[in-house]
Structures are given as structure tokens and as C-alpha cells.
Amino acid sequence: MRRLLAPFAAPVTYSRWIHLVAPLALISVWLFVAPGVPWELALLAVPVGLLPVMRMGEGVQAQLLLTPGERGRADATISVAPATTWGEKWRTVLWLELRLLLSIVVGVATLWLPATSISLVGAVRSDSIDRDGIFHLIEPHAWYGALAPLPILLLFALVVLCGRLSTAAARRLLGPSRTERMSALEELTEQLLERNRIARELHDSIGHALTVSVVQAGAASTADDPEFTRRALIAIEETGRAALDDLERVLRVLREPGASADRRPTLIAVEQLLDSARGSGVAVDAEVTGCVDRLPDSLSREGYRILQESLTNALRHAGRVPVRVRIGVERDHLELDVRNPMAEATPRSPRGHGLQGMRERARLLGGSAKAGPHHGEWQVRVTLPLRGVR
């Protein structure tokens, strides 16, 4: 029963009702000018439907009233673009003819069925029967009052049925073309890639800042050295400020789709990243060969994030153990190698989100990333090609 009554409580039922009866205004004006059956109006729909802009106008109305949940979405099943081919134009003509037909059916039912309910209520008493109405030949009876709701229920059922039929027809006749579907899929793909990139940015940046801050705070709380505590607090403040800058930049990109993301750190700032780890009491042995300032921006940014995540994992899982970092800029590739002794009490799984993010970054650039135990150490080895990267 609840399933049967659900369409009557759905707001989309009434928005579709409005869409179905809206053409009645045009039909009423036409009948006022040219009384009779509106065949001329049906013929007029042919040249009007062939106008390219008509498909866009009908699509906007259909999205707004027939499928309001899809309004503005890239994967909407009803197009809001002008017609560009003859096939789309003739489908628009067919849609207009069908819409006029459904409008007449639902419009007549909207006027006649409630009037029928009123007549049934009036037929309960003999002195209430409208002698000129549809019940002037029947005898009055109390049962007619019980039948009065039936025309209203029939009207709602007809509205639901015609609304679904109109929606299905709109999706079929005003639906996006193959080219529009491909464009929508490309747009959705870009959105998903952007969301994944932002998620990785937040994971790497905020995760690194929190890990460094926790390690530094723990070291400062156990160290009986005011100078060390002061340096740890300064490092925590600097790390927190950098994380807030990254968070503000990411939020700006989310709020303003056209905002630039070029302020992301690159390997040029690798010394600051290493100093941040050293401030946590970690001995970092770093070796950089080649010119990192000549790397393409995209590759340098992703390399920075991969190195940041590697250091974060070392701090999080192994604690304050020595870390060896090797950054090599070769003729045709960039190589990152990060190693640290493994903590036996906290073995790491190669399926973490951070490791997965590193592999995704490397794969998007056509490279590879490997992480796992190697001769008693945890090793992260990443190779990113320079060719074809801007």
C-alpha cells in the first residue's frame, strides 16, 4: 500500500502535472482565436519544432519539471542543447505533438473528473441533483457520496501514468546525442579525477603535518631540554601554518572551479620538507643529484607529494629512525628512493591509502611506484619518466 501511495506524495508528481497542463494556456488562446478542434496548432508544431532553439527550450522545461533531480548535472538524461542535426529537429517535432496530446488528455481529466466528484456528492439528495448535469437521469442515493473520491483517485493515477510516459518520451526524444554523451562522460571523468587529486592532496599535506606535529609533541614532552622543546614548538607552528596554507588553497579550488592550483609545492622546496622531518628528531640523510629546478612543474609537484608521503609513513610507522632519501634527476626520468629501518612492533601493509595514492600519482605520469620490505628496511622506489610531461 505504501508503494502505491508513494507517487501521490512525491513532489515530482505535481511538477510533472504542471508540465502536462502548461500547454493548455496556449491551446486556450488558440481556441479563442480559432474555435474548434486545434488541428492547426498541431500542424504549427512542425515548423516550430524544426527551430534549433526549440529543443533547448523544451529540454530546459523538461529538466526543471519532469526530472528536477537531474537539473544541471552532466549526466542528465534530457539534453538542454540546441538541435544540430535533422534527426534531433524531427524528434523535437514528435515531442511537441506528443506533449500537446498528453496536455489535452490530462487537461480534460483535470477539469472533468473533479466536476464528476462534485456531481456524485450532489446526487445524494434529490433536491441537489443538477438536472442539466450528467446525473440527471439517475435516482438519488447515499452510496453516491461514497463513490465521490473515485474520480479524484482516477485523476491522480492518470497524472502519475502520463507523467511517467512524458518523462520516458522526453528522455527518448530530447535525450543527449552520442556526442553529448561523450562530452558528459569526459566532464564526469574530469570531475572524478579532480576529486581524487584533491583527496590525495589533503591526505598527503594534512597527514604529513599531523604526523610531524604528533611526533614532535611527543618528543618534546619526554625531553628534559627547554631548548629542544622550544625548537619542537617552532617546528609544530611552521608545519601547522604550511598545512593551513595547503588547506586554504584546496578549499579555494573547491569554491572557485577556475582557481589555479599552481601554488602547490614542488621539489624545489625539498629542503624545507626534509628540515620539517629533521625537526621531529629524525636523522635524514639526503642526496640530490641533477637539477630539480629544471623538472616539469607537474612532475615536480607529484614528486614532492610522493616524497612527503614517504616521510610521513616513516614517521608514523617506524618512529624516529634514520631515513635515507635519494633524489636523482636523470636524462629521461626522475627517481625517488626512500629507505628506513622497519619497526618490528608495527609492520606495515602495502595496501594503505597513502601507498595507493603514491601509485596513482606515478601511474598518471606514466611511471611506477613500489613500496615494501627490502633487506630489513622499508623501501619506497618511484620512477617517473620525463618524456611527454609538461
Short mmCIF file of all heavy atoms in Angstrom, two decimals, residues 224-251:
data_model
loop_
_atom_site.label_atom_id
_atom_site.label_comp_id
_atom_site.label_asym_id
_atom_site.label_seq_id
_atom_site.Cartn_x
_atom_site.Cartn_y
_atom_site.Cartn_z
N ASP A 224 63.91 16.40 28.47
CA ASP A 224 64.16 17.35 29.57
C ASP A 224 65.15 18.41 29.09
O ASP A 224 66.24 18.59 29.65
CB ASP A 224 64.71 16.59 30.78
CG ASP A 224 64.77 17.48 32.02
OD1 ASP A 224 64.13 18.56 31.99
OD2 ASP A 224 65.46 17.11 32.98
N ASP A 225 64.73 19.08 28.01
CA ASP A 225 65.62 20.06 27.39
C ASP A 225 64.78 21.23 26.90
O ASP A 225 64.06 21.12 25.89
CB ASP A 225 66.38 19.42 26.23
CG ASP A 225 67.42 20.36 25.61
OD1 ASP A 225 67.43 21.56 25.97
OD2 ASP A 225 68.20 19.89 24.75
N PRO A 226 64.80 22.36 27.59
CA PRO A 226 63.97 23.51 27.17
C PRO A 226 64.27 23.98 25.75
O PRO A 226 63.36 24.38 25.03
CB PRO A 226 64.33 24.58 28.21
CG PRO A 226 64.84 23.82 29.38
CD PRO A 226 65.53 22.62 28.83
N GLU A 227 65.53 23.92 25.34
CA GLU A 227 65.88 24.37 24.00
C GLU A 227 65.26 23.45 22.94
O GLU A 227 64.74 23.91 21.92
CB GLU A 227 67.39 24.41 23.84
CG GLU A 227 67.86 24.88 22.46
CD GLU A 227 67.40 26.28 22.11
OE1 GLU A 227 67.11 27.07 23.05
OE2 GLU A 227 67.31 26.60 20.91
N PHE A 228 65.32 22.13 23.19
CA PHE A 228 64.71 21.18 22.25
C PHE A 228 63.20 21.38 22.19
O PHE A 228 62.60 21.34 21.11
CB PHE A 228 65.04 19.75 22.68
CG PHE A 228 64.42 18.71 21.79
CD1 PHE A 228 65.03 18.33 20.60
CD2 PHE A 228 63.20 18.11 22.13
CE1 PHE A 228 64.45 17.37 19.78
CE2 PHE A 228 62.61 17.15 21.31
CZ PHE A 228 63.25 16.78 20.13
N THR A 229 62.60 21.61 23.36
CA THR A 229 61.15 21.85 23.40
C THR A 229 60.79 23.09 22.62
O THR A 229 59.79 23.13 21.89
CB THR A 229 60.68 21.98 24.85
OG1 THR A 229 61.00 20.77 25.57
CG2 THR A 229 59.17 22.20 24.92
N ARG A 230 61.60 24.14 22.75
CA ARG A 230 61.33 25.39 22.02
C ARG A 230 61.41 25.16 20.51
O ARG A 230 60.55 25.61 19.75
CB ARG A 230 62.33 26.47 22.44
CG ARG A 230 62.04 27.85 21.84
CD ARG A 230 63.14 28.84 22.21
NE ARG A 230 64.39 28.46 21.55
CZ ARG A 230 64.68 28.81 20.29
NH1 ARG A 230 63.83 29.50 19.56
NH2 ARG A 230 65.85 28.46 19.77
N ARG A 231 62.44 24.43 20.06
CA ARG A 231 62.57 24.14 18.63
C ARG A 231 61.42 23.28 18.14
O ARG A 231 60.91 23.48 17.02
CB ARG A 231 63.90 23.44 18.36
CG ARG A 231 65.12 24.31 18.55
CD ARG A 231 66.34 23.71 17.85
NE ARG A 231 66.57 22.33 18.27
CZ ARG A 231 67.35 21.98 19.28
NH1 ARG A 231 67.97 22.92 20.00
NH2 ARG A 231 67.53 20.71 19.58
N ALA A 232 60.99 22.33 18.97
CA ALA A 232 59.87 21.47 18.57
C ALA A 232 58.59 22.28 18.41
O ALA A 232 57.82 22.08 17.45
CB ALA A 232 59.67 20.35 19.59
N LEU A 233 58.35 23.21 19.32
CA LEU A 233 57.14 24.03 19.22
C LEU A 233 57.19 24.93 17.99
O LEU A 233 56.17 25.16 17.32
CB LEU A 233 56.98 24.88 20.49
CG LEU A 233 56.64 24.10 21.77
CD1 LEU A 233 56.63 25.04 22.97
CD2 LEU A 233 55.29 23.40 21.63
N ILE A 234 58.36 25.48 17.69
CA ILE A 234 58.50 26.31 16.48
C ILE A 234 58.24 25.47 15.23
O ILE A 234 57.55 25.90 14.30
CB ILE A 234 59.91 26.94 16.43
CG1 ILE A 234 60.07 27.95 17.56
CG2 ILE A 234 60.14 27.59 15.07
CD1 ILE A 234 61.47 28.55 17.65
N ALA A 235 58.77 24.23 15.22
CA ALA A 235 58.54 23.34 14.07
C ALA A 235 57.08 22.97 13.93
O ALA A 235 56.54 22.91 12.81
CB ALA A 235 59.40 22.09 14.22
N ILE A 236 56.42 22.73 15.07
CA ILE A 236 54.98 22.42 15.02
C ILE A 236 54.21 23.60 14.45
O ILE A 236 53.30 23.44 13.63
CB ILE A 236 54.46 22.06 16.43
CG1 ILE A 236 55.03 20.70 16.86
CG2 ILE A 236 52.94 22.03 16.46
CD1 ILE A 236 54.69 20.34 18.29
N GLU A 237 54.57 24.81 14.87
CA GLU A 237 53.88 26.01 14.36
C GLU A 237 54.10 26.16 12.85
O GLU A 237 53.13 26.41 12.10
CB GLU A 237 54.39 27.25 15.08
CG GLU A 237 53.72 28.53 14.60
CD GLU A 237 54.29 29.77 15.28
OE1 GLU A 237 55.28 29.62 16.01
OE2 GLU A 237 53.76 30.86 15.05
N GLU A 238 55.34 26.00 12.39
CA GLU A 238 55.62 26.13 10.97
C GLU A 238 54.91 25.06 10.16
O GLU A 238 54.36 25.34 9.08
CB GLU A 238 57.14 26.06 10.75
CG GLU A 238 57.88 27.25 11.32
CD GLU A 238 59.39 27.10 11.16
OE1 GLU A 238 59.83 25.99 10.77
OE2 GLU A 238 60.12 28.09 11.41
N THR A 239 54.92 23.83 10.66
CA THR A 239 54.23 22.74 9.95
C THR A 239 52.73 23.00 9.88
O THR A 239 52.09 22.77 8.85
CB THR A 239 54.51 21.40 10.65
OG1 THR A 239 55.92 21.19 10.73
CG2 THR A 239 53.87 20.26 9.89
N GLY A 240 52.17 23.47 10.99
CA GLY A 240 50.73 23.77 11.01
C GLY A 240 50.37 24.89 10.05
O GLY A 240 49.34 24.83 9.37
N ARG A 241 51.21 25.92 9.99
CA ARG A 241 50.93 27.03 9.06
C ARG A 241 50.98 26.55 7.61
O ARG A 241 50.14 26.94 6.78
CB ARG A 241 51.93 28.16 9.27
CG ARG A 241 51.76 28.92 10.57
CD ARG A 241 52.74 30.08 10.68
NE ARG A 241 52.65 30.75 11.95
CZ ARG A 241 51.75 31.69 12.24
NH1 ARG A 241 50.87 32.06 11.31
NH2 ARG A 241 51.72 32.26 13.43
N ALA A 242 51.96 25.72 7.30
CA ALA A 242 52.04 25.19 5.93
C ALA A 242 50.82 24.35 5.60
O ALA A 242 50.29 24.41 4.48
CB ALA A 242 53.32 24.37 5.78
N ALA A 243 50.36 23.54 6.57
CA ALA A 243 49.17 22.72 6.34
C ALA A 243 47.93 23.60 6.14
O ALA A 243 47.07 23.31 5.29
CB ALA A 243 48.95 21.76 7.50
N LEU A 244 47.83 24.69 6.92
CA LEU A 244 46.70 25.59 6.75
C LEU A 244 46.72 26.26 5.38
O LEU A 244 45.67 26.47 4.76
CB LEU A 244 46.71 26.65 7.86
CG LEU A 244 46.31 26.16 9.26
CD1 LEU A 244 46.49 27.27 10.28
CD2 LEU A 244 44.86 25.67 9.26
N ASP A 245 47.91 26.61 4.90
CA ASP A 245 48.02 27.19 3.56
C ASP A 245 47.55 26.20 2.50
O ASP A 245 46.83 26.57 1.56
CB ASP A 245 49.47 27.61 3.29
CG ASP A 245 49.89 28.82 4.11
OD1 ASP A 245 48.99 29.54 4.59
OD2 ASP A 245 51.10 29.04 4.28
N ASP A 246 47.98 24.94 2.64
CA ASP A 246 47.54 23.92 1.69
C ASP A 246 46.03 23.72 1.75
O ASP A 246 45.36 23.58 0.72
CB ASP A 246 48.24 22.59 1.98
CG ASP A 246 49.66 22.56 1.44
OD1 ASP A 246 49.99 23.43 0.62
OD2 ASP A 246 50.43 21.68 1.86
N LEU A 247 45.48 23.71 2.97
CA LEU A 247 44.04 23.54 3.13
C LEU A 247 43.27 24.70 2.50
O LEU A 247 42.27 24.49 1.81
CB LEU A 247 43.69 23.40 4.61
CG LEU A 247 42.21 23.18 4.94
CD1 LEU A 247 41.71 21.89 4.31
CD2 LEU A 247 42.01 23.14 6.45
N GLU A 248 43.75 25.91 2.72
CA GLU A 248 43.09 27.08 2.14
C GLU A 248 43.14 27.04 0.62
O GLU A 248 42.18 27.39 -0.07
CB GLU A 248 43.76 28.35 2.66
CG GLU A 248 43.21 29.65 2.05
CD GLU A 248 41.74 29.86 2.34
OE1 GLU A 248 41.26 29.34 3.37
OE2 GLU A 248 41.07 30.54 1.54
N ARG A 249 44.27 26.61 0.07
CA ARG A 249 44.41 26.52 -1.38
C ARG A 249 43.44 25.50 -1.97
O ARG A 249 42.77 25.76 -2.97
CB ARG A 249 45.85 26.14 -1.75
CG ARG A 249 46.06 25.90 -3.23
CD ARG A 249 47.49 25.48 -3.48
NE ARG A 249 47.89 24.37 -2.63
CZ ARG A 249 47.51 23.10 -2.85
NH1 ARG A 249 46.73 22.82 -3.87
NH2 ARG A 249 47.91 22.14 -2.05
N VAL A 250 43.34 24.33 -1.31
CA VAL A 250 42.43 23.30 -1.80
C VAL A 250 40.98 23.76 -1.70
O VAL A 250 40.17 23.56 -2.61
CB VAL A 250 42.65 21.98 -1.03
CG1 VAL A 250 41.56 20.96 -1.38
CG2 VAL A 250 44.02 21.40 -1.35
N LEU A 251 40.63 24.39 -0.59
CA LEU A 251 39.25 24.88 -0.42
C LEU A 251 38.94 25.96 -1.44
O LEU A 251 37.80 26.06 -1.92
CB LEU A 251 39.05 25.40 1.00
CG LEU A 251 39.09 24.35 2.11
CD1 LEU A 251 38.93 25.01 3.48
CD2 LEU A 251 38.00 23.30 1.90
#
